[in-house]
Amino acid sequence: MRISQGQARCILRSISYIEPPSSRRALHLAPPFLLDDPYLPRYAHLSSTCATQKRSAAHAHLRNCNLCPRQCSVNRYEKAGVCLIGAETATINTIAPHFGEEPPIQGHHGSGAVFFSGCNLRCVFCQNHTIAHTKSGFELTPEELAEWYVKLQDMGNVHNINLITPEHVVPQVVLSILHARELGLRIPIVYNTSAFDSLESIALLDGLVDIYLPDFKVWEKSTSKRLLKAEDYASAARESIKAMHAQVGDLCFTGDGIAKKGMLVRHLIMPGKEDEGREIMHWLGKEVSGDCFVNVMEQYRPDAHVGKPRRSIGKVNRAKGSSALAATNPGGELAVDELDAPLRYGEINRPINRQEFSEVRKAAQDAGLWRFCDPPGHGGFNI
């Protein structure tokens, strides 16, 4: 259809008065964060040659383990390193559909959680310390683990396979994913990590993991040395998170609101550590991506060793038969109301307050971050 010059001028004039779009973005599912459905996991695209190379590399790493920043360099076929786990199997505490993750991860049917026992960190506040700080559970070979992935998919109808605290068993994880795809696995793999990974480990996982879910805990060396027992934690986390993002990019969803590919970063705010939270948010926004999907978490609670009476004082008084410390809990532990006894890690022996949360959240927004895992403003799922 032809238009006159007058009509053309009128159209151009109307275009010039269109209000520019707001710089404030609010749609998580807007392109380029919307994927085609059905989504084909990354491991499905892996060639047989590449799969063989990864199997060989996994076994080689176990013979000279360098898959976390501890760099134990032990032959795990002969002995275990800091993580306590050998080479032939992985120790599993729980395998089940899980509804305690972020809404885009757990979705409507749950996330297929695999809780690995053992850990390469020793967080004094760990809320899973009975699993992470001990070798607790049952042993599975990579092949047996793969069978469980398929059971979670076919019988549990879960949205993904969620590997929780897998940093120390990456070779076993790699072998299990490669075997599971031969058994018919077709749902995404979530790598749910403390971010205390080595670059060699992340490279080994390339092409196998769809969603990286790192938890960036603290920023300062002094804090990580005291609370995580790993002085180089923050530098390792920065390296690994950048490598994860380079592989999978920002978090993307299919039209049902379920995350299928990309990276989601968690940060658990610690009492009195809001300055470190601000540094982490600034780094994510400026050095990783302004579109990074972030979960700023406020559910910290004292756990594990935090708030416990100092063991040395308890031992000395018990050895002396002191009646001053007669109030004890079952097992001989000093009672909570023993106020005269100094408490371990007293600086984090409290929940966070509203101001600490608000400061970290504001720092995230100031850094240009906008994709947050917030509670939904409606009765449905937060997608």
Side-chain angles (χ1 to χ4, degrees), residues 189-200:
I189 298 293
V190 179
Y191 186 77
N192 192 335
T193 172
S194 68
F196 197 50
D197 297 277
S198 70
L199 293 181
E200 292 83 1

Side-chain angles (χ1 to χ4, degrees), residues 54-245:
K54 286 190 177 294
R55 285 191 182 94
S56 178
H59 290 293
H61 282 299
L62 287 169
R63 286 190 289 271
N64 183 23
C65 191
N66 62 347
L67 289 179
C68 85
R70 299 283 185 188
Q71 298 288 312
C72 295
S73 299
V74 300
N75 183 345
R76 288 171 62 173
Y77 288 97
E78 298 175 355
K79 66 176 182 177
V82 173
C83 67
L84 308 176
I85 306 300
E88 302 288 351
T89 61
T91 306
I92 313 299
N93 185 271
T94 305
I95 301 178
H98 184 43
F99 292 87
E101 303 289 19
E102 289 81 357
I105 301 296
Q106 72 177 30
H108 304 271
H109 304 299
S111 179
V114 180
F115 286 87
F116 291 97
S117 181
C119 185
N120 58 359
L121 289 176
R122 291 294 182 269
C123 301
V124 301
F125 52 88
C126 181
Q127 296 175 1
N128 289 326
H129 64 282
T130 56
I131 299 173
H133 294 185
T134 62
K135 192 174 180 181
S136 170
F138 51 97
E139 306 290 320
L140 291 180
T141 66
E143 293 74 23
E144 291 169 333
L145 195 52
E147 293 172 1
W148 274 104
Y149 298 167
V150 177
K151 288 179 184 178
L152 284 168
Q153 169 187 269
D154 295 346
M155 300 175 66
N157 196 29
V158 296
H159 296 288
N160 47 61
I161 300 300
N162 187 357
L163 308 172
I164 301 172
T165 319
E167 304 91 324
H168 55 297
V169 289
V170 167
Q172 294 93 322
V173 162
V174 167
L175 295 171
S176 67
I177 295 171
L178 292 173
H179 187 64
R181 77 169 189 162
E182 296 175 357
L183 299 179
L185 190 68
R186 57 185 182 278
I187 54 178
I189 298 293
V190 179
Y191 186 77
N192 192 335
T193 172
S194 68
F196 197 50
D197 297 277
S198 70
L199 293 181
E200 292 83 1
S201 179
I202 302 303
L204 186 58
L205 292 165
D206 193 10
L208 298 175
V209 171
D210 300 277
I211 298 174
Y212 283 104
L213 194 55
D215 180 4
F216 201 151
K217 298 178 183 292
V218 296
W219 185 263
E220 298 293 342
K221 283 186 176 182
S222 58
T223 304
S224 61
K225 181 179 181 180
R226 175 167 168 75
L227 301 183
L228 314 185
K229 308 308 177 188
E231 186 175 5
D232 58 342
Y233 168 80
S235 59
R238 288 192 292 269
E239 283 188 346
S240 63
I241 288 173
K242 275 194 168 184
M244 294 173 195
H245 186 265

Side-chain angles (χ1 to χ4, degrees), residues 323-345:
S323 60
L325 295 178
T328 59
N329 290 324
E333 184 180 328
L334 295 177
V336 175
D337 58 358
E338 183 53 57
L339 300 178
D340 293 332
L343 301 180
R344 304 182 70 195
Y345 307 103

